[in-house]
Structures are given as C-alpha cells and as structure tokens.
PDB file of all heavy atoms in Angstrom:
ATOM      1  N   ASP X 258      48.628 -15.789  60.195  1.00 97.00           N
ATOM      2  CA  ASP X 258      48.888 -16.932  61.021  1.00 97.00           C
ATOM      3  C   ASP X 258      49.730 -16.552  62.150  1.00 97.00           C
ATOM      4  O   ASP X 258      50.968 -16.154  61.984  1.00 97.00           O
ATOM      5  CB  ASP X 258      49.553 -18.015  60.149  1.00 97.00           C
ATOM      6  CG  ASP X 258      49.842 -19.289  60.960  1.00 97.00           C
ATOM      7  OD1 ASP X 258      49.621 -19.339  62.343  1.00 97.00           O
ATOM      8  OD2 ASP X 258      50.199 -20.328  60.401  1.00 97.00           O
ATOM      9  N   PHE X 259      49.189 -16.490  63.397  1.00 96.00           N
ATOM     10  CA  PHE X 259      49.957 -15.929  64.535  1.00 96.00           C
ATOM     11  C   PHE X 259      51.025 -16.828  65.026  1.00 96.00           C
ATOM     12  O   PHE X 259      51.833 -16.409  65.861  1.00 96.00           O
ATOM     13  CB  PHE X 259      48.912 -15.534  65.663  1.00 96.00           C
ATOM     14  CG  PHE X 259      48.389 -14.137  65.459  1.00 96.00           C
ATOM     15  CD1 PHE X 259      47.517 -13.866  64.454  1.00 96.00           C
ATOM     16  CD2 PHE X 259      48.799 -13.167  66.347  1.00 96.00           C
ATOM     17  CE1 PHE X 259      46.975 -12.606  64.201  1.00 96.00           C
ATOM     18  CE2 PHE X 259      48.340 -11.825  66.207  1.00 96.00           C
ATOM     19  CZ  PHE X 259      47.420 -11.549  65.123  1.00 96.00           C
ATOM     20  N   CYS X 260      51.044 -18.077  64.515  1.00 97.00           N
ATOM     21  CA  CYS X 260      52.191 -18.889  64.760  1.00 97.00           C
ATOM     22  C   CYS X 260      53.456 -18.534  63.953  1.00 97.00           C
ATOM     23  O   CYS X 260      54.567 -18.843  64.331  1.00 97.00           O
ATOM     24  CB  CYS X 260      51.860 -20.328  64.420  1.00 97.00           C
ATOM     25  SG  CYS X 260      50.716 -21.113  65.587  1.00 97.00           S
ATOM     26  N   HIS X 261      53.155 -17.692  62.964  1.00 96.00           N
ATOM     27  CA  HIS X 261      54.267 -17.320  62.016  1.00 96.00           C
ATOM     28  C   HIS X 261      53.979 -15.812  61.598  1.00 96.00           C
ATOM     29  O   HIS X 261      54.182 -15.431  60.484  1.00 96.00           O
ATOM     30  CB  HIS X 261      54.288 -18.101  60.783  1.00 96.00           C
ATOM     31  CG  HIS X 261      54.321 -19.610  60.969  1.00 96.00           C
ATOM     32  ND1 HIS X 261      55.436 -20.232  61.469  1.00 96.00           N
ATOM     33  CD2 HIS X 261      53.347 -20.512  60.921  1.00 96.00           C
ATOM     34  CE1 HIS X 261      55.246 -21.596  61.531  1.00 96.00           C
ATOM     35  NE2 HIS X 261      53.896 -21.826  61.330  1.00 96.00           N
ATOM     36  N   LEU X 262      53.754 -15.080  62.566  1.00 98.00           N
ATOM     37  CA  LEU X 262      53.269 -13.673  62.334  1.00 98.00           C
ATOM     38  C   LEU X 262      54.376 -12.817  61.671  1.00 98.00           C
ATOM     39  O   LEU X 262      54.179 -12.123  60.695  1.00 98.00           O
ATOM     40  CB  LEU X 262      52.858 -12.969  63.612  1.00 98.00           C
ATOM     41  CG  LEU X 262      52.152 -11.591  63.382  1.00 98.00           C
ATOM     42  CD1 LEU X 262      51.049 -11.574  62.454  1.00 98.00           C
ATOM     43  CD2 LEU X 262      51.712 -11.086  64.832  1.00 98.00           C
ATOM     44  N   GLU X 263      55.599 -12.956  62.199  1.00 98.00           N
ATOM     45  CA  GLU X 263      56.774 -12.137  61.590  1.00 98.00           C
ATOM     46  C   GLU X 263      56.955 -12.556  60.090  1.00 98.00           C
ATOM     47  O   GLU X 263      57.051 -11.725  59.228  1.00 98.00           O
ATOM     48  CB  GLU X 263      58.018 -12.385  62.325  1.00 98.00           C
ATOM     49  CG  GLU X 263      59.227 -11.597  61.733  1.00 98.00           C
ATOM     50  CD  GLU X 263      60.440 -11.669  62.450  1.00 98.00           C
ATOM     51  OE1 GLU X 263      60.486 -12.356  63.570  1.00 98.00           O
ATOM     52  OE2 GLU X 263      61.483 -11.122  62.033  1.00 98.00           O
ATOM     53  N   GLN X 264      56.876 -13.882  59.781  1.00 98.00           N
ATOM     54  CA  GLN X 264      57.079 -14.425  58.437  1.00 98.00           C
ATOM     55  C   GLN X 264      55.994 -13.830  57.551  1.00 98.00           C
ATOM     56  O   GLN X 264      56.169 -13.475  56.368  1.00 98.00           O
ATOM     57  CB  GLN X 264      57.152 -15.897  58.346  1.00 98.00           C
ATOM     58  CG  GLN X 264      58.365 -16.493  59.056  1.00 98.00           C
ATOM     59  CD  GLN X 264      58.101 -16.873  60.523  1.00 98.00           C
ATOM     60  OE1 GLN X 264      57.457 -16.102  61.369  1.00 98.00           O
ATOM     61  NE2 GLN X 264      58.464 -18.144  60.871  1.00 98.00           N
ATOM     62  N   ASP X 265      54.717 -13.851  58.055  1.00 98.00           N
ATOM     63  CA  ASP X 265      53.576 -13.377  57.249  1.00 98.00           C
ATOM     64  C   ASP X 265      53.731 -11.832  56.947  1.00 98.00           C
ATOM     65  O   ASP X 265      53.439 -11.417  55.796  1.00 98.00           O
ATOM     66  CB  ASP X 265      52.293 -13.610  57.920  1.00 98.00           C
ATOM     67  CG  ASP X 265      51.848 -15.049  57.860  1.00 98.00           C
ATOM     68  OD1 ASP X 265      52.542 -15.952  57.326  1.00 98.00           O
ATOM     69  OD2 ASP X 265      50.687 -15.345  58.202  1.00 98.00           O
ATOM     70  N   ILE X 266      54.198 -11.115  57.862  1.00 98.00           N
ATOM     71  CA  ILE X 266      54.351  -9.654  57.732  1.00 98.00           C
ATOM     72  C   ILE X 266      55.462  -9.479  56.632  1.00 98.00           C
ATOM     73  O   ILE X 266      55.315  -8.701  55.776  1.00 98.00           O
ATOM     74  CB  ILE X 266      54.671  -8.997  58.970  1.00 98.00           C
ATOM     75  CG1 ILE X 266      53.414  -8.962  59.908  1.00 98.00           C
ATOM     76  CG2 ILE X 266      55.116  -7.552  58.695  1.00 98.00           C
ATOM     77  CD1 ILE X 266      53.700  -8.490  61.321  1.00 98.00           C
ATOM     78  N   LYS X 267      56.533 -10.190  56.772  1.00 98.00           N
ATOM     79  CA  LYS X 267      57.703 -10.048  55.843  1.00 98.00           C
ATOM     80  C   LYS X 267      57.203 -10.386  54.420  1.00 98.00           C
ATOM     81  O   LYS X 267      57.703  -9.813  53.414  1.00 98.00           O
ATOM     82  CB  LYS X 267      58.818 -10.908  56.251  1.00 98.00           C
ATOM     83  CG  LYS X 267      59.509 -10.452  57.552  1.00 98.00           C
ATOM     84  CD  LYS X 267      60.221  -9.167  57.354  1.00 98.00           C
ATOM     85  CE  LYS X 267      61.057  -8.804  58.602  1.00 98.00           C
ATOM     86  NZ  LYS X 267      61.602  -7.376  58.459  1.00 98.00           N
ATOM     87  N   ALA X 268      56.358 -11.497  54.224  1.00 98.00           N
ATOM     88  CA  ALA X 268      55.907 -11.860  52.982  1.00 98.00           C
ATOM     89  C   ALA X 268      54.981 -10.814  52.333  1.00 98.00           C
ATOM     90  O   ALA X 268      55.123 -10.581  51.182  1.00 98.00           O
ATOM     91  CB  ALA X 268      55.132 -13.240  53.117  1.00 98.00           C
ATOM     92  N   ALA X 269      54.176 -10.127  53.106  1.00 98.00           N
ATOM     93  CA  ALA X 269      53.412  -9.021  52.583  1.00 98.00           C
ATOM     94  C   ALA X 269      54.252  -7.901  52.173  1.00 98.00           C
ATOM     95  O   ALA X 269      54.070  -7.199  51.163  1.00 98.00           O
ATOM     96  CB  ALA X 269      52.344  -8.520  53.660  1.00 98.00           C
ATOM     97  N   GLU X 270      55.267  -7.550  53.002  1.00 98.00           N
ATOM     98  CA  GLU X 270      56.227  -6.486  52.728  1.00 98.00           C
ATOM     99  C   GLU X 270      56.970  -6.858  51.372  1.00 98.00           C
ATOM    100  O   GLU X 270      57.283  -5.948  50.611  1.00 98.00           O
ATOM    101  CB  GLU X 270      57.167  -6.270  53.837  1.00 98.00           C
ATOM    102  CG  GLU X 270      57.925  -5.051  53.929  1.00 98.00           C
ATOM    103  CD  GLU X 270      58.643  -4.713  55.216  1.00 98.00           C
ATOM    104  OE1 GLU X 270      58.725  -5.732  56.112  1.00 98.00           O
ATOM    105  OE2 GLU X 270      59.125  -3.684  55.407  1.00 98.00           O
ATOM    106  N   GLU X 271      57.367  -8.017  51.286  1.00 98.00           N
ATOM    107  CA  GLU X 271      58.098  -8.453  50.132  1.00 98.00           C
ATOM    108  C   GLU X 271      57.272  -8.305  48.710  1.00 98.00           C
ATOM    109  O   GLU X 271      57.827  -7.942  47.683  1.00 98.00           O
ATOM    110  CB  GLU X 271      58.558  -9.998  50.095  1.00 98.00           C
ATOM    111  CG  GLU X 271      59.417 -10.516  48.996  1.00 98.00           C
ATOM    112  CD  GLU X 271      59.791 -11.982  49.129  1.00 98.00           C
ATOM    113  OE1 GLU X 271      59.697 -12.447  50.288  1.00 98.00           O
ATOM    114  OE2 GLU X 271      60.220 -12.515  48.138  1.00 98.00           O
ATOM    115  N   GLY X 272      56.007  -8.448  48.938  1.00 98.00           N
ATOM    116  CA  GLY X 272      55.070  -8.143  47.853  1.00 98.00           C
ATOM    117  C   GLY X 272      54.897  -6.749  47.433  1.00 98.00           C
ATOM    118  O   GLY X 272      54.422  -6.448  46.350  1.00 98.00           O
ATOM    119  N   GLY X 273      55.331  -5.837  48.359  1.00 98.00           N
ATOM    120  CA  GLY X 273      55.245  -4.423  48.054  1.00 98.00           C
ATOM    121  C   GLY X 273      54.349  -3.658  48.971  1.00 98.00           C
ATOM    122  O   GLY X 273      54.201  -2.487  48.803  1.00 98.00           O
ATOM    123  N   ALA X 274      53.700  -4.254  49.938  1.00 98.00           N
ATOM    124  CA  ALA X 274      52.857  -3.569  50.828  1.00 98.00           C
ATOM    125  C   ALA X 274      53.658  -2.621  51.631  1.00 98.00           C
ATOM    126  O   ALA X 274      54.666  -3.055  52.288  1.00 98.00           O
ATOM    127  CB  ALA X 274      52.026  -4.512  51.701  1.00 98.00           C
ATOM    128  N   LYS X 275      53.137  -1.348  51.910  1.00 98.00           N
ATOM    129  CA  LYS X 275      53.872  -0.498  52.761  1.00 98.00           C
ATOM    130  C   LYS X 275      53.222  -0.162  54.031  1.00 98.00           C
ATOM    131  O   LYS X 275      53.760   0.333  55.016  1.00 98.00           O
ATOM    132  CB  LYS X 275      53.986   0.917  51.951  1.00 98.00           C
ATOM    133  CG  LYS X 275      54.595   0.880  50.561  1.00 98.00           C
ATOM    134  CD  LYS X 275      56.073   0.485  50.664  1.00 98.00           C
ATOM    135  CE  LYS X 275      56.596   0.492  49.219  1.00 98.00           C
ATOM    136  NZ  LYS X 275      58.027  -0.112  49.301  1.00 98.00           N
ATOM    137  N   TRP X 276      51.884  -0.466  54.067  1.00 98.00           N
ATOM    138  CA  TRP X 276      51.138  -0.344  55.294  1.00 98.00           C
ATOM    139  C   TRP X 276      50.700  -1.695  55.920  1.00 98.00           C
ATOM    140  O   TRP X 276      50.655  -2.666  55.180  1.00 98.00           O
ATOM    141  CB  TRP X 276      49.792   0.454  55.043  1.00 98.00           C
ATOM    142  CG  TRP X 276      49.935   1.939  54.790  1.00 98.00           C
ATOM    143  CD1 TRP X 276      50.928   2.595  54.254  1.00 98.00           C
ATOM    144  CD2 TRP X 276      48.928   2.924  55.056  1.00 98.00           C
ATOM    145  NE1 TRP X 276      50.690   3.872  54.160  1.00 98.00           N
ATOM    146  CE2 TRP X 276      49.391   4.104  54.685  1.00 98.00           C
ATOM    147  CE3 TRP X 276      47.582   2.831  55.647  1.00 98.00           C
ATOM    148  CZ2 TRP X 276      48.672   5.388  54.836  1.00 98.00           C
ATOM    149  CZ3 TRP X 276      46.909   3.964  55.685  1.00 98.00           C
ATOM    150  CH2 TRP X 276      47.395   5.214  55.328  1.00 98.00           C
ATOM    151  N   LEU X 277      50.400  -1.668  57.220  1.00 98.00           N
ATOM    152  CA  LEU X 277      49.905  -2.944  57.898  1.00 98.00           C
ATOM    153  C   LEU X 277      48.759  -2.531  58.733  1.00 98.00           C
ATOM    154  O   LEU X 277      48.884  -1.555  59.566  1.00 98.00           O
ATOM    155  CB  LEU X 277      51.056  -3.443  58.845  1.00 98.00           C
ATOM    156  CG  LEU X 277      50.878  -4.938  59.201  1.00 98.00           C
ATOM    157  CD1 LEU X 277      50.903  -5.854  57.976  1.00 98.00           C
ATOM    158  CD2 LEU X 277      51.993  -5.257  60.254  1.00 98.00           C
ATOM    159  N   HIS X 278      47.565  -3.176  58.570  1.00 98.00           N
ATOM    160  CA  HIS X 278      46.417  -2.859  59.245  1.00 98.00           C
ATOM    161  C   HIS X 278      46.338  -3.662  60.562  1.00 98.00           C
ATOM    162  O   HIS X 278      46.419  -4.971  60.577  1.00 98.00           O
ATOM    163  CB  HIS X 278      45.201  -3.142  58.431  1.00 98.00           C
ATOM    164  CG  HIS X 278      43.930  -2.553  58.915  1.00 98.00           C
ATOM    165  ND1 HIS X 278      43.651  -1.192  58.818  1.00 98.00           N
ATOM    166  CD2 HIS X 278      42.797  -3.011  59.588  1.00 98.00           C
ATOM    167  CE1 HIS X 278      42.463  -0.911  59.323  1.00 98.00           C
ATOM    168  NE2 HIS X 278      41.945  -2.070  59.802  1.00 98.00           N
ATOM    169  N   ILE X 279      46.150  -3.031  61.733  1.00 98.00           N
ATOM    170  CA  ILE X 279      46.222  -3.739  62.984  1.00 98.00           C
ATOM    171  C   ILE X 279      44.885  -3.492  63.616  1.00 98.00           C
ATOM    172  O   ILE X 279      44.590  -2.432  64.146  1.00 98.00           O
ATOM    173  CB  ILE X 279      47.327  -3.201  63.896  1.00 98.00           C
ATOM    174  CG1 ILE X 279      48.702  -3.430  63.107  1.00 98.00           C
ATOM    175  CG2 ILE X 279      47.400  -3.794  65.202  1.00 98.00           C
ATOM    176  CD1 ILE X 279      49.922  -2.668  63.744  1.00 98.00           C
ATOM    177  N   ASP X 280      44.035  -4.557  63.717  1.00 97.00           N
ATOM    178  CA  ASP X 280      42.681  -4.397  64.278  1.00 97.00           C
ATOM    179  C   ASP X 280      42.669  -4.806  65.749  1.00 97.00           C
ATOM    180  O   ASP X 280      42.919  -5.924  66.094  1.00 97.00           O
ATOM    181  CB  ASP X 280      41.728  -5.456  63.573  1.00 97.00           C
ATOM    182  CG  ASP X 280      41.320  -4.935  62.149  1.00 97.00           C
ATOM    183  OD1 ASP X 280      40.865  -3.842  62.122  1.00 97.00           O
ATOM    184  OD2 ASP X 280      41.476  -5.695  61.192  1.00 97.00           O
ATOM    185  N   VAL X 281      42.483  -3.868  66.579  1.00 97.00           N
ATOM    186  CA  VAL X 281      42.369  -3.961  68.052  1.00 97.00           C
ATOM    187  C   VAL X 281      40.884  -4.016  68.433  1.00 97.00           C
ATOM    188  O   VAL X 281      40.238  -3.031  68.342  1.00 97.00           O
ATOM    189  CB  VAL X 281      43.175  -2.883  68.816  1.00 97.00           C
ATOM    190  CG1 VAL X 281      43.059  -3.072  70.294  1.00 97.00           C
ATOM    191  CG2 VAL X 281      44.603  -2.885  68.272  1.00 97.00           C
ATOM    192  N   MET X 282      40.509  -5.141  68.986  1.00 96.00           N
ATOM    193  CA  MET X 282      39.109  -5.342  69.399  1.00 96.00           C
ATOM    194  C   MET X 282      38.950  -5.728  70.865  1.00 96.00           C
ATOM    195  O   MET X 282      39.796  -6.443  71.408  1.00 96.00           O
ATOM    196  CB  MET X 282      38.413  -6.489  68.699  1.00 96.00           C
ATOM    197  CG  MET X 282      38.604  -6.432  67.170  1.00 96.00           C
ATOM    198  SD  MET X 282      37.850  -7.803  66.348  1.00 96.00           S
ATOM    199  CE  MET X 282      38.269  -7.566  64.615  1.00 96.00           C
ATOM    200  N   ASP X 283      38.015  -5.000  71.596  1.00 94.00           N
ATOM    201  CA  ASP X 283      37.988  -5.132  73.037  1.00 94.00           C
ATOM    202  C   ASP X 283      36.906  -5.973  73.658  1.00 94.00           C
ATOM    203  O   ASP X 283      36.787  -6.177  74.848  1.00 94.00           O
ATOM    204  CB  ASP X 283      37.830  -3.765  73.700  1.00 94.00           C
ATOM    205  CG  ASP X 283      36.508  -3.058  73.328  1.00 94.00           C
ATOM    206  OD1 ASP X 283      35.681  -3.710  72.521  1.00 94.00           O
ATOM    207  OD2 ASP X 283      36.230  -2.048  73.819  1.00 94.00           O
ATOM    208  N   GLY X 284      36.104  -6.661  72.717  1.00 94.00           N
ATOM    209  CA  GLY X 284      35.077  -7.516  73.264  1.00 94.00           C
ATOM    210  C   GLY X 284      33.772  -6.684  73.784  1.00 94.00           C
ATOM    211  O   GLY X 284      32.814  -7.254  74.304  1.00 94.00           O
ATOM    212  N   MET X 285      33.859  -5.470  73.654  1.00 93.00           N
ATOM    213  CA  MET X 285      32.739  -4.485  74.109  1.00 93.00           C
ATOM    214  C   MET X 285      32.126  -3.735  72.989  1.00 93.00           C
ATOM    215  O   MET X 285      31.047  -3.918  72.708  1.00 93.00           O
ATOM    216  CB  MET X 285      33.269  -3.596  75.182  1.00 93.00           C
ATOM    217  CG  MET X 285      33.747  -4.388  76.475  1.00 93.00           C
ATOM    218  SD  MET X 285      34.389  -3.196  77.655  1.00 93.00           S
ATOM    219  CE  MET X 285      33.002  -2.237  78.145  1.00 93.00           C
ATOM    220  N   PHE X 286      32.928  -2.989  72.269  1.00 95.00           N
ATOM    221  CA  PHE X 286      32.497  -2.300  71.060  1.00 95.00           C
ATOM    222  C   PHE X 286      32.092  -3.265  70.012  1.00 95.00           C
ATOM    223  O   PHE X 286      31.163  -3.053  69.237  1.00 95.00           O
ATOM    224  CB  PHE X 286      33.526  -1.246  70.620  1.00 95.00           C
ATOM    225  CG  PHE X 286      33.004  -0.564  69.376  1.00 95.00           C
ATOM    226  CD1 PHE X 286      32.019   0.422  69.445  1.00 95.00           C
ATOM    227  CD2 PHE X 286      33.745  -0.727  68.146  1.00 95.00           C
ATOM    228  CE1 PHE X 286      31.558   1.049  68.347  1.00 95.00           C
ATOM    229  CE2 PHE X 286      33.263  -0.056  67.036  1.00 95.00           C
ATOM    230  CZ  PHE X 286      32.287   0.838  67.135  1.00 95.00           C
ATOM    231  N   VAL X 287      32.853  -4.378  69.831  1.00 93.00           N
ATOM    232  CA  VAL X 287      32.599  -5.442  68.975  1.00 93.00           C
ATOM    233  C   VAL X 287      32.604  -6.651  69.868  1.00 93.00           C
ATOM    234  O   VAL X 287      33.281  -6.684  70.949  1.00 93.00           O
ATOM    235  CB  VAL X 287      33.457  -5.559  67.798  1.00 93.00           C
ATOM    236  CG1 VAL X 287      33.420  -4.391  66.847  1.00 93.00           C
ATOM    237  CG2 VAL X 287      34.946  -5.631  68.303  1.00 93.00           C
ATOM    238  N   PRO X 288      31.911  -7.715  69.455  1.00 91.00           N
ATOM    239  CA  PRO X 288      31.864  -8.977  70.298  1.00 91.00           C
ATOM    240  C   PRO X 288      33.222  -9.642  70.484  1.00 91.00           C
ATOM    241  O   PRO X 288      33.476 -10.274  71.498  1.00 91.00           O
ATOM    242  CB  PRO X 288      30.889  -9.859  69.565  1.00 91.00           C
ATOM    243  CG  PRO X 288      30.142  -9.005  68.731  1.00 91.00           C
ATOM    244  CD  PRO X 288      31.000  -7.882  68.297  1.00 91.00           C
ATOM    245  N   ALA X 289      34.095  -9.551  69.388  1.00 92.00           N
ATOM    246  CA  ALA X 289      35.343 -10.282  69.529  1.00 92.00           C
ATOM    247  C   ALA X 289      36.383  -9.649  70.314  1.00 92.00           C
ATOM    248  O   ALA X 289      36.341  -8.392  70.478  1.00 92.00           O
ATOM    249  CB  ALA X 289      35.893 -10.532  68.135  1.00 92.00           C
ATOM    250  N   ILE X 290      37.350 -10.403  70.771  1.00 93.00           N
ATOM    251  CA  ILE X 290      38.601  -9.809  71.391  1.00 93.00           C
ATOM    252  C   ILE X 290      39.742 -10.274  70.415  1.00 93.00           C
ATOM    253  O   ILE X 290      39.942 -11.519  70.082  1.00 93.00           O
ATOM    254  CB  ILE X 290      38.777 -10.332  72.750  1.00 93.00           C
ATOM    255  CG1 ILE X 290      37.722  -9.822  73.702  1.00 93.00           C
ATOM    256  CG2 ILE X 290      40.178  -9.925  73.359  1.00 93.00           C
ATOM    257  CD1 ILE X 290      37.730 -10.509  75.072  1.00 93.00           C
TER     258      ILE X 290
END
C-alpha cells in the first residue's frame, strides 16, 4: 500500500524478511509503469 509504504516495509521486516524486491517497470519492456 503506497499510502503506507514505510509501515508495510517495517511490517515485513518485523516478520523476519531480510530482502525487499523492487520491481521497476518502464511501460516499454512491459506494458505497465
């Protein structure tokens, strides 16, 4: 939820996640931006 992005990341970290996957899309290689 990008309205609460920091909180969501912290919640994942609290659960024990060590990595964060960051999908960067350009609207060309894939349709979405």
